Amino acid sequence: MDVLDVAAIFAAGVAAGGINTIVGSGSLITFPTLVALGYPPVVANVSNNIGLVPGSVTGAYGYRRELKGQRERLLRLGTASFTGALIGGALLLGLPASAFKIIVPVLIVIALVLVVVQPRLQAWMLARRENHHPHGGPWLWVGVLAAGVYGGYFGAAQGIVLIAMLGIALDDDLQRVNAAKNVLSGVVNSAATLLFIGMSIFGNTRIDWRAVLLIALGSTVGGVLGAKVGRRIPPLVLRGVIVVVGLVAIINLLR
């Protein structure tokens, strides 16, 4: 790993930490960066997941005012995120690497579509919110569980999936919904991280700790910046960058 590689991974971590806090698709920056630098896809995904955990913490902390009064909600939904992440992580480690190369391009395409249609999803959420139960109902728990499975397996744009479901199901302000999304995404990444580290100790899961450290440092900074200044970034510009990076990732994986 040369100086340029170090700078690229750190910068990708900063961008991903900020994007995850604001939108929720930061893995579309860090994962393609690692793949482009020659990391095997599964190693890149596992290392990326672990490295993004500190960014989830700083991003959630930055939204601490919006998290007030959401303790019971997050405890309930957090069990779904935790369980789903373990299932998704187990699928990642249990399925052959060849399956990952087939499945992940499809997941990236889905993630990119979600990034593009996010404004319409938000408009739909606003139009329907007043007609929904303030506690979400059991279907929301199931939906958060499914998002956790997705996040444990790959994770790009899981935040967009979460904020769409939470915004539709909950009678609450979008900023508070986004704060809850940050916490639940952090639970998913943390649960998958525990599984990956355990499997690296007792199994044969490979983790590149240099990449983890660089992404962790970058995402920590990015989480703070995302919570402070992220709302000033033009959404169209942000979505455009994510789409371009995601398309590059698909091309690299299909080579």
Side-chain angles (χ1 to χ4, degrees):
M1 185 183 295
D2 59 27
V3 175
L4 290 178
D5 291 349
V6 170
I9 296 173
F10 177 78
V14 174
I19 290 169
N20 277 340
T21 302
I22 306 161
V23 183
S25 49
S27 288
L28 288 179
I29 300 294
T30 43
F31 175 75
T33 299
L34 293 178
V35 171
L37 292 175
Y39 288 84
V42 175
V43 175
N45 190 39
V46 170
S47 304
N48 170 64
N49 189 299
I50 298 172
L52 289 176
V53 171
S56 299
V57 174
T58 55
Y61 180 77
Y63 274 85
R64 60 192 179 278
R65 286 180 297 179
E66 289 84 357
L67 288 172
K68 290 181 179 179
Q70 299 201 64
R71 182 175 181 273
E72 183 179 350
R73 171 190 295 171
L74 291 173
L75 286 174
R76 183 185 298 114
L77 295 177
T79 61
S81 291
F82 189 87
T83 303
L86 293 181
I87 296 171
L91 289 174
L92 173 66
L93 299 179
L95 294 175
S98 57
F100 184 85
K101 284 192 171 185
I102 295 172
I103 295 170
V104 166
V106 176
L107 294 180
I108 293 177
V109 169
I110 294 172
L112 293 179
V113 171
L114 288 171
V115 169
V116 172
V117 304
Q118 188 194 18
R120 293 190 178 184
L121 281 176
Q122 288 180 336
W124 188 55
M125 291 186 301
L126 288 170
R128 293 173 60 88
R129 178 176 297 133
E130 64 181 13
N131 299 321
H132 283 253
H133 194 283
H135 299 296
W139 80 266
L140 178 60
W141 194 94
V142 174
V144 172
L145 174 72
V149 175
Y150 172 76
Y153 188 84
F154 181 56
Q158 68 160 317
I160 293 174
V161 176
L162 282 170
I163 199 170
M165 290 190 300
L166 294 171
I168 293 168
L170 301 175
D171 183 16
D172 213 339
D173 177 79
L174 271 180
Q175 290 300 332
R176 284 172 54 80
V177 168
N178 193 44
K181 175 268 293 181
N182 287 335
V183 172
L184 294 176
S185 296
V187 170
V188 170
N189 286 345
S190 298
T193 290
L194 292 175
L195 177 64
F196 296 152
I197 292 176
M199 291 303 296
S200 73
I201 296 173
F202 301 106
N204 57 359
T205 300
R206 288 179 55 200
I207 300 172
D208 190 295
W209 289 105
R210 294 176 301 175
V212 169
L213 177 62
L214 290 169
I215 292 175
L217 292 173
S219 69
T220 299
V221 175
V224 174
L225 294 176
K228 287 186 175 181
V229 302
R231 297 182 185 92
R232 301 177 184 175
I233 300 174
L236 184 62
V237 173
L238 188 59
R239 275 190 284 275
V241 171
I242 294 171
V243 169
V244 170
V245 173
L247 292 175
V248 171
I250 294 171
I251 293 171
N252 284 332
L253 286 169
L254 294 179
R255 282 179 179 176

